[in-house]
Amino acid sequence: MSPNDRFTELVSAHIPGAVIRGASPLAGGVSADTTLIHIEISTSSLRTLVLREHGDNHCGHEAALEFQLLERLHSLGVTVPKPLGFGGGDGANQHPYVLLEYIEGSTDMPSSMAEARIAAAANKLISIHDLKTDSLPKLPLRFDPLPELLDFLPDDAEWEELRSNLLRMNSTAFTGKGVLLHGDYWPSNIVWADGKLAGVIDWEDAAIGDPLSDVACTCLELRYIHGDWGAHCFLNAYSTQRRVDPFRLALWQAYMAAAGNQNMGGWGLEPSRVQAMRKVALDSIREAGHVIANHGTIFG
């Protein structure tokens, strides 16, 4: 079966009469293979879809859960891709998939626009954290960074003091009300169009839990791209509307940086880029370790 025949069969299951007019892979995904599909329903009706197929490295939600979450968020007016269907994993398709409407725009964050876009991204994350979770499908819980943080920490002697400090803590679990977490909130998952934030994509790591998990993730990713300034800018924008506990943020910062340090070799990046990002990640663990040891202030 040719790729176009396969796409026709898959898309037609959800959009009867669709004719494939073109398809091209989208770069950047790690745990899902993403394809942009152009379809025609009638001579005057053209649409662009996104097909996310869960590859061998997939570690996010099952296709059904991803679809259900997006369906609910879209119905609530959240700027997410409209889900059109899911399936696969049954012999007809090698991998499970989710079919989505394409959100027109760009994920670029050029330096000239970075400050304004970072502030807008912080405001959008706050609105996500403010959503009521009662009507959402059942999602994983993300309240405590400690168990996985201890697994992610490098084994070098440099980290023994931090490991000891963590092991001496009675409890590191978030005790507040859990919020909806995007789980991977960074510039490549934020779409801009006409100067405005047009959509938030890739919800396969969504969870319910400590909002500072998302904040720490975004700050680290912005450090990779824009240096310390990017992290400061986002944290300042977020903290003008929400209290940020420096100690809890440090716990999640150590978690995100240690996880990134362990896994970034498998992200398909150039070796020089991995080397630069690894330095940022290790410096972030050191900084977080200092805050954890002293309960001081982060980014001070």
Side-chain angles (χ1 to χ4, degrees), residues 3 28 31 65 133 147 181 195 205 215 217 233 280:
S31 66
L65 179 56
T133 60
L181 305 174
D205 294 311
V215 174
C217 172
C233 189
V280 171

Side-chain angles (χ1 to χ4, degrees), residues 11 15 17-22 37-49 84 101-102 104:
V11 171
I15 307 176
V19 177
I20 305 298
R21 293 305 185 195
I37 302 176
H38 305 285
I39 66 169
E40 185 175 64
I41 302 174
S42 67
T43 55
S44 60
S45 180
L46 297 174
R47 294 170 68 183
T48 302
L49 313 178
L84 303 172
E101 288 277 11
Y102 176 64
E104 294 282 353

Side-chain angles (χ1 to χ4, degrees), residues 21 33 83 133 162 232 271 294 300:
R21 293 305 185 195
D33 297 323
T133 60
L162 173 55
H232 277 288
N294 297 285

Side-chain angles (χ1 to χ4, degrees), residues 190-274:
I190 303 171
V191 181
W192 305 90
D194 299 324
K196 298 180 180 180
L197 200 158
V200 180
I201 62 176
D202 291 1
W203 287 79
E204 63 180 3
D205 294 311
I208 302 295
D210 185 347
L212 294 187
S213 168
D214 268 348
V215 174
C217 172
T218 310
C219 286
L220 179 63
E221 293 290 349
L222 286 169
R223 276 185 166 173
Y224 290 146
I225 301 168
H226 294 288
D228 289 350
W229 173 85
H232 277 288
C233 189
F234 184 87
L235 185 58
N236 287 341
Y238 188 92
S239 61
T240 59
Q241 301 183 60
R242 294 292 182 275
R243 180 180 177 274
V244 173
D245 181 337
F247 176 65
R248 291 211 56 77
L249 182 60
L251 289 172
W252 285 111
Q253 177 177 318
Y255 170 96
M256 295 296 172
N261 176 65
Q262 185 176 109
N263 296 319
M264 66 177 62
W267 293 348
L269 304 172
E270 292 292 330
S272 59
R273 180 61 179 155
V274 172

Side-chain angles (χ1 to χ4, degrees), residues 49-105:
L49 313 178
V50 173
L51 174 66
R52 285 175 46 82
E53 296 180 278
H54 296 175
D56 295 333
N57 296 323
H58 181 73
C59 58
H61 300 320
E62 293 183 355
L65 179 56
E66 186 176 348
F67 175 86
Q68 291 162 9
L69 175 62
L70 289 172
E71 186 175 49
R72 182 57 184 150
L73 292 177
H74 191 269
S75 73
L76 291 172
V78 183
T79 50
V80 300
K82 181 180 180 180
L84 303 172
F86 69 94
D90 55 4
N93 294 282
Q94 184 177 2
H95 296 295
Y97 68 86
V98 181
L99 187 66
L100 312 163
E101 288 277 11
Y102 176 64
I103 297 178
E104 294 282 353

